[in-house]
Amino acid sequence: MEKSDHDLSSHQNPLAHQLDFSVPAAAAAAAVETKMIDSSQETEKKLSQSPLEDQRDEDLPSQPSGTEEQHRLGVKSLEEPVRSWQPSATEDATTTQKPPMHRLGHPLGKCRVSKQEPLTPLGQRTEAESKDGTPNKQKHCNCKASRCLKLYCECFASGSYCNGCNCVNCQNNLENESARQEAITGTLERNPDAFKPKIAGSPHGINDLQEDVRQLLILGKHSKGCHCKKSGCLKKYCECYQANVFCSENCRCQDCKNFEGSEERSALLHGSHHVSETYIQQTTNAALSRAVSTSGFLNTPESRKRKSKDASSAVPHLVQNQAVNRVIRNGDTSLFSIPNNKAVSGSPTCTYRSSLSNTIQPRHVKDLCTLLVATSLDVANKYSDKRRKHEKDPSLDPAQRDANEINDSPDCVLDSTRMDEKPLSPATRALMCYDEHVITSEKETSAGVKTSQEKEDADTSSEIYLEKERQILSSFRDFLIQLSNRGSIKAGTNIKTNTNPSRKEPQDEEQSHRDSSLG
DNA sequence: GAGTTTGAAACT
DNA sequence: CAGTTTCAAACTC
């Protein structure tokens, strides 16, 4: 019987049953998500060992390329939980020949997601699916000409077998394992990263406050970027948009509207009444970025490209977004794109809380920015004198001066008029310029040996820095909690605060007061 | 549900 | 590497 061949190939080929192309960042979430094993007896005979275990690299026959990737994946897959899978009653007999190894957890291994498996704007799985980690729905491709052996096929691209798909002449199954292996090999030859997730650091889910904060500070980007021309990167044709990440310097898109602060993007999100955590995250992130930056750095993909390549290449977005940046820097948060009238939309499909006091108002974001700016100013003021003393000190190590100069990095100064020559603590700057922390720490490490006096100063500084930073972070956290609670999709599911008992959670009244007092 | 549009993947 | 073709999902009607 020809199945013996399949037995052999299945066990010898690490990718015979399933490719798992998760990156570590997504691995945890992916691990929670379901790994399905055909429960049919016939298939169980074939799979005398866990299909995931089949991915051991020692079983690799001859993968001319991509072996490193496969090696990594093979190791990882052994750690992943395996859950049983029950075929649906509607599946026909052929299903048993297609082990349903369909990975649902692959965040954009293939970016286009089928209609049957929509992603939330956050890139999370739909609630129905992710509640218990068990997929309620499965991707079903409709390939006709690719035999499901090319990356056009979602199933193949995600490293899964087709199962219950509507495809024609499908060879992405056990019955055609050898062809499948050839296809995998060929695909990896063309692009060793073909099966790797395309989104680095993409939000996958927000499960707790810590994660909430992390997600706030880290936005993924498409590894290859998109090349959209007509969609404005605001349709699911766009891989970036679909992955719910902003377009980046990796993109070569035209007329991109998928950038930080894009009104079109915000309008789109609001228009669909999907006020997600990501919206809060991105908007707050945008507000933070702009509030703390006077570098003129524009966050359109074009501007990122410009920053990374050549500042001379002007783009059409320039004027528009300069205006946006300018206004925001001047304190007008109306462009933070939180149209509260939309946030409280009365649409039946809008599950966003409708109470005005519980919706995100521009002032909330403004409060957050104000808090950060004010606190940072406070820190800065306390040390400006000390810093001047250091600068005047001829005995000061040049390296130390150099380290001081880092604080004047244009990207890390709050406002050129208000913050001139005022240093910020490394951690505060890290908070504000999180994407530059590596450079900063390196330079500070190179600052060299300090004198005893400097050490003393540094110790004192560190203590106050720490205390101030604690305050900043605590307040920051409180704001995030508030924002998150306001943005909660389900009323009454507020994130539990885990704040210091000595700290009172800011109330709306307090915010209003601060808002009015700070203007 | 059919037809069109779109952009990634594949190919040249 | 750029241009073209193929392909399947997304979208529109």
Side-chain angles (χ1 to χ4, degrees), chain A residues 347-367:
Chain A
S347 164
T349 60
C350 179
T351 56
Y352 204 70
R353 277 180 283 176
S354 58
S355 167
L356 189 63
S357 64
N358 282 336
T359 58
I360 300 171
Q361 307 292 321
R363 65 184 171 85
H364 295 139
V365 177
K366 184 178 177 181
D367 285 344

Side-chain angles (χ1 to χ4, degrees), chain A residues 46-114:
Chain A
K46 291 179 182 178
L47 312 179
S48 59
Q49 64 181 117
S50 166
L52 298 175
E53 292 178 355
D54 288 352
Q55 297 177 17
R56 296 174 195 273
D57 58 320
E58 61 264 28
D59 291 339
L60 263 176
S62 58
Q63 300 288 349
S65 68
T67 52
E68 184 180 339
E69 166 78 350
Q70 290 159 358
H71 180 92
R72 180 179 64 78
L73 296 166
V75 172
K76 189 190 88 57
S77 66
L78 296 175
E79 302 165 354
E80 296 189 342
V82 177
R83 301 184 186 185
S84 62
W85 177 87
Q86 298 295 331
S88 69
T90 58
E91 294 193 33
D92 58 29
T94 61
T95 307
T96 58
Q97 297 171 352
K98 299 177 180 180
M101 302 304 171
H102 217 120
R103 279 194 72 252
L104 294 174
H106 190 279
L108 297 165
K110 174 72 175 178
C111 281
R112 287 184 185 174
V113 180
S114 64

Side-chain angles (χ1 to χ4, degrees), chain A residues 2 15 30 58 66 68-69 74 105 134 148 177 189 203 226 232 263 292 328 338 408 464 471 493:
Chain A
E2 65 174 349
L15 303 171
E58 61 264 28
E68 184 180 339
E69 166 78 350
T134 303
C148 298
E177 190 55 51
E189 278 177 348
C226 67
E263 291 184 12
V292 302
I328 290 174
I338 309 182
D408 294 333
I464 302 178
Q471 291 178 15
T493 57

Side-chain angles (χ1 to χ4, degrees), chain A residues 21 34-35 44 52 93 107 114 133 136 145 163 185 274 331 361 380 397 428 448 497:
Chain A
F21 302 114
T34 302
K35 304 297 176 191
E44 281 181 357
L52 298 175
S114 64
N136 298 336
N163 174 50
T185 302
H274 280 297
Q361 307 292 321
D397 186 329
T428 301
T497 60

Side-chain angles (χ1 to χ4, degrees), chain A residues 396-465:
Chain A
L396 196 60
D397 186 329
Q400 176 67 25
R401 258 196 221 111
D402 192 37
N404 287 339
E405 287 170 5
I406 297 168
N407 291 337
D408 294 333
S409 170
D411 283 346
C412 292
V413 176
L414 284 175
D415 183 302
S416 59
T417 58
R418 300 168 63 192
M419 291 297 295
D420 187 39
E421 294 190 349
K422 289 171 182 169
L424 301 176
S425 81
T428 301
R429 284 186 294 109
L431 177 66
M432 296 156 59
C433 312
Y434 53 89
D435 56 341
E436 297 185 3
H437 68 282
V438 175
I439 299 171
T440 302
S441 60
E442 281 176 359
K443 289 193 178 179
E444 286 173 353
T445 302
S446 69
V449 180
K450 292 183 173 68
T451 66
S452 59
Q453 177 61 41
E454 285 167 350
K455 280 180 181 173
E456 198 174 307
D457 290 346
D459 289 344
T460 310
S461 301
S462 298
E463 290 173 10
I464 302 178
Y465 280 153

Side-chain angles (χ1 to χ4, degrees), chain A residues 237-431:
Chain A
Y237 297 124
C238 174
E239 293 199 351
C240 298
Y241 178 80
Q242 189 170 84
N244 202 56
V245 298
F246 293 127
C247 287
S248 68
E249 66 274 13
N250 296 338
C251 299
R252 286 190 286 168
C253 43
Q254 299 171 10
D255 193 27
C256 179
K257 297 180 177 67
N258 181 30
F259 57 87
E260 235 177 273
S262 164
E263 291 184 12
E264 291 91 340
R265 189 181 196 278
S266 299
L268 197 64
L269 290 175
H270 279 295
S272 62
H273 304 298
H274 280 297
V275 184
S276 66
E277 290 94 337
T278 297
Y279 177 74
I280 300 164
Q281 162 190 328
Q282 291 174 344
T283 306
T284 310
N285 201 29
L288 278 172
S289 299
R290 294 206 165 95
V292 302
S293 172
T294 58
S295 65
F297 173 62
L298 306 179
N299 283 296
T300 62
E302 289 85 351
S303 69
R304 297 191 203 181
K305 293 170 205 166
R306 193 165 52 250
K307 187 179 184 182
S308 63
K309 293 175 185 175
D310 182 0
S312 65
S313 59
V315 291
H317 296 316
L318 188 61
V319 175
Q320 168 200 341
N321 292 293
Q322 275 179 334
V324 171
N325 275 346
R326 183 176 59 252
V327 175
I328 290 174
R329 260 185 258 125
N330 288 340
D332 184 347
T333 55
S334 63
L335 290 178
F336 281 164
S337 304
I338 309 182
N340 52 6
N341 59 323
K342 291 182 180 178
V344 296
S345 163
S347 164
T349 60
C350 179
T351 56
Y352 204 70
R353 277 180 283 176
S354 58
S355 167
L356 189 63
S357 64
N358 282 336
T359 58
I360 300 171
Q361 307 292 321
R363 65 184 171 85
H364 295 139
V365 177
K366 184 178 177 181
D367 285 344
L368 173 57
C369 297
T370 303
L371 170 78
L372 292 171
V373 171
T375 315
S376 300
L377 278 171
D378 189 25
V379 174
N381 285 333
K382 289 188 176 181
Y383 289 94
S384 58
D385 288 343
K386 185 167 289 183
R387 182 173 179 272
R388 289 195 190 97
K389 192 182 79 177
H390 276 258
E391 285 175 340
K392 290 174 183 175
D393 188 351
S395 65
L396 196 60
D397 186 329
Q400 176 67 25
R401 258 196 221 111
D402 192 37
N404 287 339
E405 287 170 5
I406 297 168
N407 291 337
D408 294 333
S409 170
D411 283 346
C412 292
V413 176
L414 284 175
D415 183 302
S416 59
T417 58
R418 300 168 63 192
M419 291 297 295
D420 187 39
E421 294 190 349
K422 289 171 182 169
L424 301 176
S425 81
T428 301
R429 284 186 294 109
L431 177 66

Side-chain angles (χ1 to χ4, degrees), chain A residues 47-233:
Chain A
L47 312 179
S48 59
Q49 64 181 117
S50 166
L52 298 175
E53 292 178 355
D54 288 352
Q55 297 177 17
R56 296 174 195 273
D57 58 320
E58 61 264 28
D59 291 339
L60 263 176
S62 58
Q63 300 288 349
S65 68
T67 52
E68 184 180 339
E69 166 78 350
Q70 290 159 358
H71 180 92
R72 180 179 64 78
L73 296 166
V75 172
K76 189 190 88 57
S77 66
L78 296 175
E79 302 165 354
E80 296 189 342
V82 177
R83 301 184 186 185
S84 62
W85 177 87
Q86 298 295 331
S88 69
T90 58
E91 294 193 33
D92 58 29
T94 61
T95 307
T96 58
Q97 297 171 352
K98 299 177 180 180
M101 302 304 171
H102 217 120
R103 279 194 72 252
L104 294 174
H106 190 279
L108 297 165
K110 174 72 175 178
C111 281
R112 287 184 185 174
V113 180
S114 64
K115 292 172 187 173
Q116 294 91 329
E117 193 195 22
L119 296 179
T120 68
L122 183 56
Q124 294 171 290
R125 295 294 152 193
T126 50
E127 185 178 346
E129 173 198 321
S130 58
K131 272 280 184 190
D132 58 1
T134 303
N136 298 336
K137 292 177 181 177
Q138 185 174 326
K139 281 187 286 188
H140 299 297
C141 70
N142 301 289
C143 306
K144 293 180 178 66
S146 67
R147 295 170 297 154
C148 298
L149 291 182
K150 298 199 172 183
L151 290 173
Y152 298 126
C153 175
E154 282 190 39
C155 305
F156 180 79
S158 65
S160 308
Y161 286 103
C162 286
N163 174 50
C165 301
N166 304 314
C167 41
V168 177
N169 192 23
C170 179
Q171 295 189 17
N172 183 30
N173 51 38
L174 265 181
E175 301 301 302
N176 297 279
E177 190 55 51
S178 59
R180 185 173 183 265
Q181 284 306 305
E182 283 182 21
I184 291 170
T185 302
T187 302
L188 287 173
E189 278 177 348
R190 278 191 296 271
N191 176 18
D193 298 331
F195 296 102
K196 287 180 182 175
K198 296 174 182 175
I199 306 300
S202 64
H204 192 86
I206 293 178
N207 300 320
D208 55 35
L209 181 57
Q210 193 175 14
E211 180 70 358
D212 204 4
V213 174
R214 192 185 72 82
Q215 297 291 357
L216 178 74
L217 298 176
I218 301 174
L219 274 178
K221 63 181 179 182
H222 197 286
S223 59
K224 290 176 66 180
C226 67
H227 305 82
C228 306
K229 292 188 179 82
K230 299 180 180 178
S231 67
C233 299

